[in-house]
Amino acid sequence: MSDNKVVLNYGGNSYEYPIVESTLGDRGIDISKLRDQTGLITLDLGYKNTGATISEITYLDGDKGELYYRGYPIEQIADKSNFTEVMYLLLHGELPTQDQFSKFEAGIKNYNYIADEMKRLIDVFPRSAHPMGVLSSLTSALTAFNPKAVDVNSPSDLDHAAEMLIAKFSHLCAWTYRKKLGLPINHGDNSLNYVENFYRMCFRRPNEEFHLDPVVVGALDKLLILHADHEQNCSTSTVRMVGSAHTGLFASVSAGISALWGPLHGGANQAVIEMLEMIEQDGGDVAKYVEKAKNKDDNFRLMGFGHRVYKNFDPRATIIKKAADDILNSLGIEDKALDIAMQLERVALEDEYFVSRKLYPNVDFYSGIIYRALGIPTEMFTVMFALGRLPGWISQWKEMRLHNDPIGRPRQVYQGAQKRDYIAMNAR
Ligand code: ACO
């Protein structure tokens, strides 16, 4: 018996597979020789037990409700840091010195504009287009205006690509917002920090003097920090998978945006508010919807509840719930949706169905309430998530390329038809 390998007995033979050690959390069984040796593959739908890579960026413990960026607990980061510093931390692995921070910020500001042709592209989308579809297309289109491929062997090339995408992506997010509201687009202002600049690009009206509201900027900063990375989630795995074919950074991120859009992933923040509005319009009978969510013949789910990894509580939800309370108080907003959310939370957290399945409110249960209080249209919520997740996607793409991960290419267990002969149409 040894705890650094597992032994598989199969077909009268015995095979050994080494354990890959971790610094925290899950250790892995290296099964890379399994198929060659035994003719077997592993089958793990939804990758619930499959480690796709070895990473040093983000750690989370779903049972304890812990989340660390590069080792720093999310509670400390959300309380003490700012989004620009977090972007640096994720990308470079360490907190920056003042000098490193200034250079990083200047590098982003260097790209704080977009080619005019990009504006023509956004003009051709109908206003009814979903902002996530627009964002994914525009991000892919950025490639056309920045055609030089990133040389992953050059640290400065990697830095510039990251800074360029971070700067330009904030324009694309702000522009999709302006498009939705039919407002003229704003360009960046280098006298502001990253979040202030984004806020101004979104909210500055052409016919009014613009004021930065520090409460709103602070809430936005916190939300972006909380979404900045979350290890191998669906969109991040997509970015890594696409990038593993040595596809460029912008195209890989564009694929990640599409993955994030889905209501089981980032699209949940939009789905939560739509659900709360529906419950409110239906008379506010929270218990009725909790029953619907429990009914297996009904495909209704309580959006914003449950998480693939967190089976205790989502530490981001705890931070964001407080932030939602603070911002509603400070802006003097009374939101019926928040009342319904609080009732839902109470009922569900006491219900045996939710308790036994360890279904707790996740980060998206509360983020939509803040975005709504800031006057951001519901369809834009997932775009806000994408802006927050961008540094995570870039860091993971960079790590994947620097670790030289092989192209992602899973196997399958085939259960389709046996070999058969083609039959001409008139004979079928
Ligand atoms: N409402 C009602 N029942 C639920 C919910 C829910 N929100 N979530 C899970 N369940 C039930 C399932 O029906 C299943 O019940 P069963 O064991 O009786 O069949 C059990 O809980 C386990 O659910 P799975 O779908 O197997 O859990 P999984 O880990 O695959 O899914 C997911 C996690 C997708 C997040 C799921 O909980 C869900 O759909 N939640 C609602 C959407 C949501 O909020 N997504 C945001 C996730 S956070 C993020 O991406 C930032």
Coordinates of all heavy atoms in Angstrom, one line a residue, residues 132 135-136 139-140 142 165 169 235 238-240 242-243 247-260 386 389-395 397:
M132 N -24.3 40.1 -25.3 CA -23.3 39.1 -25.2 C -22.9 38.6 -26.6 O -21.7 38.3 -26.9 CB -23.7 37.9 -24.3 CG -23.7 38.2 -22.9 SD -22.0 38.6 -22.3 CE -21.4 36.9 -22.0
L135 N -20.8 41.4 -28.0 CA -19.5 41.4 -27.3 C -18.6 40.3 -27.9 O -17.4 40.6 -28.2 CB -19.7 41.3 -25.8 CG -18.4 41.4 -25.0 CD1 -17.8 42.8 -25.1 CD2 -18.7 41.1 -23.5
S136 N -19.2 39.2 -28.0 CA -18.3 38.0 -28.5 C -17.9 38.3 -30.0 O -16.7 38.1 -30.3 CB -19.2 36.8 -28.4 OG -18.8 35.9 -29.4
T139 N -15.2 41.1 -30.0 CA -13.9 40.7 -29.4 C -13.2 39.9 -30.5 O -12.0 40.0 -30.7 CB -14.1 39.8 -28.2 OG1 -14.9 40.6 -27.3 CG2 -12.8 39.4 -27.5
S140 N -13.9 39.0 -31.2 CA -13.3 38.3 -32.3 C -12.8 39.2 -33.4 O -11.7 39.1 -33.9 CB -14.4 37.3 -32.9 OG -13.8 36.2 -33.4
L142 N -11.7 42.2 -33.0 CA -10.5 42.9 -32.6 C -9.3 42.3 -33.3 O -8.3 43.0 -33.6 CB -10.3 42.8 -31.1 CG -10.9 43.8 -30.2 CD1 -10.5 43.5 -28.7 CD2 -10.4 45.2 -30.5
L165 N -5.8 43.9 -24.6 CA -7.1 43.3 -24.5 C -7.9 43.9 -23.3 O -9.1 44.2 -23.5 CB -7.0 41.8 -24.5 CG -8.3 41.0 -24.5 CD1 -9.2 41.5 -25.6 CD2 -8.1 39.5 -24.5
F169 N -11.2 45.8 -24.3 CA -12.4 45.1 -23.9 C -13.4 46.0 -23.1 O -14.6 45.9 -23.2 CB -12.0 43.9 -23.1 CG -13.1 42.8 -22.9 CD1 -13.5 42.1 -24.0 CD2 -13.7 42.6 -21.7 CE1 -14.5 41.1 -23.8 CE2 -14.7 41.6 -21.5 CZ -15.1 40.9 -22.6
S235 N -16.5 28.7 -18.9 CA -15.9 29.6 -19.9 C -14.4 29.6 -19.9 O -13.8 29.7 -20.9 CB -16.4 31.0 -19.6 OG -16.1 31.4 -18.3
T238 N -13.2 26.7 -21.7 CA -13.4 26.9 -23.1 C -12.2 27.7 -23.7 O -11.7 27.4 -24.7 CB -14.7 27.7 -23.3 OG1 -15.8 26.9 -22.8 CG2 -15.0 28.0 -24.8
V239 N -11.9 28.8 -22.9 CA -10.7 29.6 -23.4 C -9.5 28.8 -23.5 O -8.7 28.8 -24.5 CB -10.5 30.8 -22.4 CG1 -9.2 31.6 -22.7 CG2 -11.7 31.8 -22.5
R240 N -9.3 27.9 -22.5 CA -8.1 27.1 -22.5 C -8.1 26.1 -23.6 O -7.1 25.8 -24.3 CB -7.9 26.4 -21.1 CG -7.5 27.4 -20.0 CD -7.2 26.6 -18.7 NE -5.8 26.0 -18.7 CZ -4.9 26.3 -17.8 NH1 -5.1 27.1 -16.8 NH2 -3.7 25.7 -17.9
V242 N -9.8 26.2 -26.5 CA -9.7 26.8 -27.8 C -8.2 27.2 -28.0 O -7.6 27.0 -29.0 CB -10.6 28.1 -28.0 CG1 -10.3 28.8 -29.2 CG2 -12.1 27.6 -27.9
G243 N -7.6 27.8 -26.9 CA -6.2 28.3 -27.0 C -5.3 27.1 -27.1 O -4.1 27.3 -27.6
T247 N -4.8 28.8 -31.0 CA -5.6 29.8 -31.5 C -5.2 31.1 -30.7 O -4.8 31.0 -29.6 CB -7.1 29.5 -31.2 OG1 -7.3 28.2 -31.9 CG2 -8.1 30.5 -31.7
G248 N -5.4 32.3 -31.4 CA -5.0 33.5 -30.8 C -5.8 33.9 -29.5 O -6.8 33.3 -29.2
L249 N -5.2 34.8 -28.7 CA -5.8 35.2 -27.5 C -7.2 35.8 -27.7 O -8.2 35.4 -27.0 CB -4.9 36.2 -26.8 CG -5.4 36.9 -25.5 CD1 -5.7 35.8 -24.4 CD2 -4.5 37.9 -25.0
F250 N -7.4 36.7 -28.6 CA -8.7 37.4 -28.8 C -9.8 36.4 -29.2 O -10.9 36.4 -28.6 CB -8.7 38.5 -29.8 CG -7.7 39.6 -29.5 CD1 -7.5 40.6 -30.3 CD2 -7.1 39.7 -28.2 CE1 -6.6 41.7 -30.0 CE2 -6.2 40.7 -27.9 CZ -6.0 41.7 -28.8
A251 N -9.5 35.5 -30.1 CA -10.5 34.5 -30.6 C -10.8 33.5 -29.4 O -11.9 33.1 -29.3 CB -9.9 33.7 -31.8
S252 N -9.8 33.2 -28.6 CA -10.0 32.2 -27.5 C -11.0 32.9 -26.5 O -11.9 32.3 -26.0 CB -8.7 31.9 -26.8 OG -7.8 31.3 -27.7
V253 N -10.7 34.2 -26.2 CA -11.6 34.9 -25.2 C -13.0 35.0 -25.8 O -14.0 34.9 -25.1 CB -10.9 36.3 -24.9 CG1 -11.9 37.2 -24.2 CG2 -9.7 36.0 -24.0
S254 N -13.1 35.3 -27.1 CA -14.4 35.4 -27.7 C -15.2 34.1 -27.5 O -16.4 34.2 -27.2 CB -14.2 35.7 -29.2 OG -15.4 35.6 -29.9
A255 N -14.5 33.0 -27.6 CA -15.2 31.7 -27.4 C -15.7 31.6 -25.9 O -16.8 31.1 -25.6 CB -14.3 30.5 -27.7
G256 N -14.8 32.1 -25.0 CA -15.2 32.1 -23.6 C -16.4 32.9 -23.3 O -17.2 32.6 -22.5
I257 N -16.5 34.0 -24.0 CA -17.7 34.9 -23.8 C -19.0 34.1 -24.2 O -20.0 34.2 -23.5 CB -17.6 36.2 -24.7 CG1 -16.4 37.0 -24.2 CG2 -18.8 37.0 -24.7 CD1 -16.0 38.1 -25.2
S258 N -18.9 33.4 -25.3 CA -20.1 32.6 -25.7 C -20.4 31.6 -24.6 O -21.6 31.3 -24.3 CB -19.8 31.9 -27.0 OG -19.6 32.8 -28.0
A259 N -19.4 30.9 -24.0 CA -19.7 29.9 -23.0 C -20.3 30.6 -21.7 O -21.2 30.1 -21.1 CB -18.4 29.2 -22.6
L260 N -19.8 31.8 -21.4 CA -20.3 32.5 -20.2 C -21.8 32.9 -20.4 O -22.5 33.0 -19.4 CB -19.4 33.8 -20.0 CG -19.7 34.5 -18.7 CD1 -19.2 33.8 -17.5 CD2 -19.1 35.9 -18.7
A386 N -18.5 39.3 -17.7 CA -17.4 39.1 -18.7 C -16.2 40.1 -18.4 O -15.0 39.7 -18.5 CB -17.9 39.2 -20.1
R389 N -14.4 38.8 -15.5 CA -13.7 37.5 -15.7 C -12.5 37.6 -16.7 O -11.7 36.7 -16.8 CB -14.7 36.5 -16.2 CG -14.2 35.0 -16.4 CD -13.6 34.4 -15.2 NE -14.3 34.5 -14.0 CZ -15.2 33.7 -13.5 NH1 -15.5 32.6 -14.2 NH2 -15.8 33.8 -12.3
L390 N -12.4 38.7 -17.5 CA -11.4 38.9 -18.5 C -10.0 38.6 -18.0 O -9.3 37.8 -18.6 CB -11.5 40.2 -19.1 CG -10.4 40.4 -20.2 CD1 -10.7 39.6 -21.5 CD2 -10.3 41.9 -20.6
P391 N -9.5 39.2 -16.8 CA -8.2 38.9 -16.4 C -7.9 37.4 -16.1 O -6.8 36.9 -16.3 CB -8.0 39.7 -15.1 CG -9.3 40.1 -14.7 CD -10.2 40.1 -16.0
G392 N -9.0 36.7 -15.6 CA -8.9 35.3 -15.3 C -8.7 34.5 -16.6 O -7.8 33.7 -16.8
W393 N -9.5 34.9 -17.7 CA -9.4 34.2 -18.9 C -7.9 34.4 -19.5 O -7.3 33.4 -20.0 CB -10.4 34.7 -20.0 CG -11.8 34.3 -19.7 CD1 -12.2 33.2 -19.1 CD2 -13.0 35.0 -20.1 NE1 -13.6 33.1 -19.0 CE2 -14.1 34.3 -19.7 CE3 -13.2 36.2 -20.8 CZ2 -15.4 34.7 -19.9 CZ3 -14.5 36.6 -21.0 CH2 -15.6 35.8 -20.5
I394 N -7.5 35.6 -19.5 CA -6.1 35.9 -20.1 C -5.1 35.2 -19.3 O -4.2 34.5 -19.8 CB -5.8 37.4 -20.1 CG1 -6.9 38.2 -20.9 CG2 -4.5 37.7 -20.7 CD1 -6.7 39.7 -20.8
S395 N -5.2 35.2 -17.9 CA -4.1 34.5 -17.1 C -4.1 33.0 -17.4 O -3.0 32.4 -17.5 CB -4.4 34.7 -15.6 OG -4.6 36.1 -15.4
W397 N -5.2 31.5 -20.1 CA -4.7 31.3 -21.5 C -3.2 31.3 -21.5 O -2.5 30.5 -22.1 CB -5.3 32.3 -22.4 CG -5.0 32.2 -23.9 CD1 -5.7 31.6 -24.8 CD2 -3.8 32.7 -24.5 NE1 -5.1 31.7 -26.0 CE2 -3.9 32.4 -25.9 CE3 -2.7 33.5 -24.1 CZ2 -3.0 32.7 -26.9 CZ3 -1.8 33.8 -25.1 CH2 -1.9 33.5 -26.4

